[in-house]
C-alpha cells in the first residue's frame, strides 16, 4: 500500500542555518505530495504541495520538488528563523476518487535556536 | 470565515464516561475527517465522511462513533472513554475536487 517515510527528529538548528527534512514515499499511480506544518498548540496547515513529477512547491521560503525517479519530496529552506520552529508532516494523496484521503508521515520536529 | 472550528478545546474525562467532540466548517466542503495525534504515531484517521449522509471507518475506528449531522457539522462520540483514548483530536475538511485538507485547532482529551 501507499506509505510515507520522513526523517526522524527532533532537528535542532541555529538561526540562518540551512534546513533539509527528507521525505520518501511509496505509491501506485501518480499521487499529489504535500508538506503540512503544525506550530505549537495549533492545528496543521498546508505549507506547500506538488501535483506532478518535477513540480516544485514553494511557500514562506520553503521549497520541495516532486522527484518521481527517487520517490522523494524533501523539504528545504535556505535560512531558517526561530519562528519556523514547528512540526513538519509530509503526506501524499491517494487520489482515490471522492474518498480521497491523505497518507501521513510521522512528522519531524524542528527547533531553531537564536 | 472561521474555517474549521472544534469544541471543546480541552476536556478531562473519567474512564467510562461519554462525550461528543464537535466540529463545524463554514467553507461548504463536502468531505470531513477525524484524526487523532499521539506522540511518535503521527496522525491516524479515525473516521471520515465523503459527503453529507455518508461515513466510513479509517485506520483506528474502534471505540468511536461519528455523525455527519449536515454538510457543516461532523461530530465524534466516545461512548465509554478509556485511558488509551487520551490524545489530541483534529477535525479537517476538504472541498469537492480539491486535495488540500483544512484543519481545526484540535481538542486535547485526557482520560483518567
Amino acid at each position: 500500500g501507499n506509505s510515507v517515510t520522513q526523517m526522524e527528529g527532533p532537528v535542532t538548528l541555529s538561526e540562518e542555518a540551512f534546513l533539509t527534512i527528507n521525505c520518501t514515499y511509496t505509491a501506485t499511480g501518480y499521487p499529489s505530495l504535500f508538506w503540512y506544518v503544525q506550530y505549537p498548540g495549533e492545528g496543521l496547515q498546508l505549507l506547500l504541495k506538488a501535483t506532478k513529477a518535477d513540480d516544485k512547491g514553494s511557500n514562506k521560503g520553503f521549497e520541495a520538488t516532486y522527484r518521481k525517479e527517487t520517490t522523494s519530496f524533501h523539504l528545504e529552506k535556505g535560512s531558517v528563523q526561530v519562528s519556523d520552529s514547528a512540526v513538519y508532516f509530509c503526506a501524499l494523496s491517494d487520489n482515490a476518487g471522492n474518498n480521497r484521503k491523505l497518507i501521513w508521515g510521522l512528522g519531524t520536529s524542528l527547533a531553531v535556536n537564536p | 470565515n472561521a474555517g474549521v472550528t472544534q469544541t471543546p478545546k480541552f476536556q478531562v474525562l473519567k474512564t467510562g464516561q461519554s462525550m461528543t467532540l464537535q466540529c463545524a466548517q463554514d467553507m461548504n466542503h463536502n468531505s470531513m475527517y477525524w484524526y487523532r495525534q499521539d506522540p511518535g504515531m503521527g496522525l491516524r484517521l479515525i473516521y471520515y465522511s465523503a459527503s453529507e449522509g455518508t461515513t466510513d471507518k479509517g485506520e483506528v475506528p474502534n471505540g468511536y462513533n461519528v455523525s455527519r449531522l449536515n454538510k457543516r457539522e461532523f461530530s465524534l462520540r466516545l461512548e465509554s472513554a478509556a485511558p488509551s483514548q487520551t490524545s489530541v483530536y483534529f477535525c479537517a475538511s476538504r472541498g469537492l475536487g480539491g486535495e488540500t485538507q483544512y484543519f481545526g485547532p484540535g481538542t486535547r482529551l485526557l482520560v483518567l
Side-chain angles (χ1 to χ4, degrees):
Chain A
N2 295 349
S3 66
V4 173
T5 302
Q6 60 181 107
M7 64 186 283
E8 290 187 25
V11 174
T12 303
L13 295 174
S14 297
E15 208 165 22
E16 299 183 2
F18 184 85
L19 169 71
T20 299
I21 300 178
N22 290 338
C23 172
T24 58
Y25 67 90
T26 302
T28 54
Y30 303 94
S32 296
L33 300 172
F34 304 81
W35 277 102
Y36 279 76
V37 59
Q38 183 181 28
Y39 298 105
E42 299 184 10
L44 283 75
Q45 55 185 275
L46 179 68
L47 180 60
L48 54 84
K49 70 177 183 181
T51 58
K52 60 183 187 296
D54 300 326
D55 265 3
K56 178 186 283 188
S58 60
N59 186 25
K60 299 182 180 180
F62 291 88
E63 293 183 340
T65 301
Y66 189 160
R67 302 280 189 203
K68 191 162 176 61
E69 64 276 13
T70 54
T71 61
S72 65
F73 192 55
H74 303 322
L75 182 68
E76 297 182 335
K77 186 174 186 183
S79 176
V80 293
Q81 305 301 311
V82 172
S83 57
D84 294 325
S85 298
V87 180
Y88 293 82
F89 292 89
C90 185
L92 68 84
S93 173
D94 67 5
N95 288 343
N98 200 35
N99 291 336
R100 193 166 295 170
K101 293 181 283 184
L102 291 177
I103 309 299
W104 296 90
L106 295 183
T108 302
S109 176
L110 170 66
V112 180
N113 297 320
Chain B
N1 237 4
V4 179
T5 56
Q6 293 183 236
T7 55
K9 290 185 178 179
F10 180 72
Q11 183 73 46
V12 179
L13 292 178
K14 294 181 180 177
T15 297
Q17 287 186 315
S18 62
M19 80 162 293
T20 300
L21 282 66
Q22 306 287 354
C23 173
Q25 52 89 12
D26 62 1
M27 296 175 283
N28 201 36
H29 284 172
N30 279 46
S31 299
M32 297 184 74
Y33 306 80
W34 275 106
Y35 293 94
R36 60 178 289 173
Q37 183 180 33
D38 302 290
M41 304 288 287
L43 284 171
R44 292 184 291 171
L45 183 65
I46 305 172
Y47 270 94
Y48 65 100
S49 171
S51 61
E52 185 179 355
T54 69
T55 60
D56 286 286
K57 295 179 180 179
E59 302 171 64
V60 289
N62 291 346
Y64 305 95
N65 284 300
V66 290
S67 295
R68 184 73 183 268
L69 304 169
N70 47 55
K71 192 170 187 179
R72 290 187 64 249
E73 299 172 289
F74 187 39
S75 62
L76 178 72
R77 183 159 179 84
L78 286 70
E79 291 291 351
S80 178
S84 61
Q85 293 178 305
T86 292
S87 188
V88 181
Y89 292 85
F90 289 102
C91 177
S93 69
R94 176 179 65 83
L96 184 64
E99 294 181 303
T100 301
Q101 292 186 15
Y102 296 84
F103 283 78
T107 294
R108 188 173 298 272
L109 176 66
L110 175 61
V111 183
L112 302 174

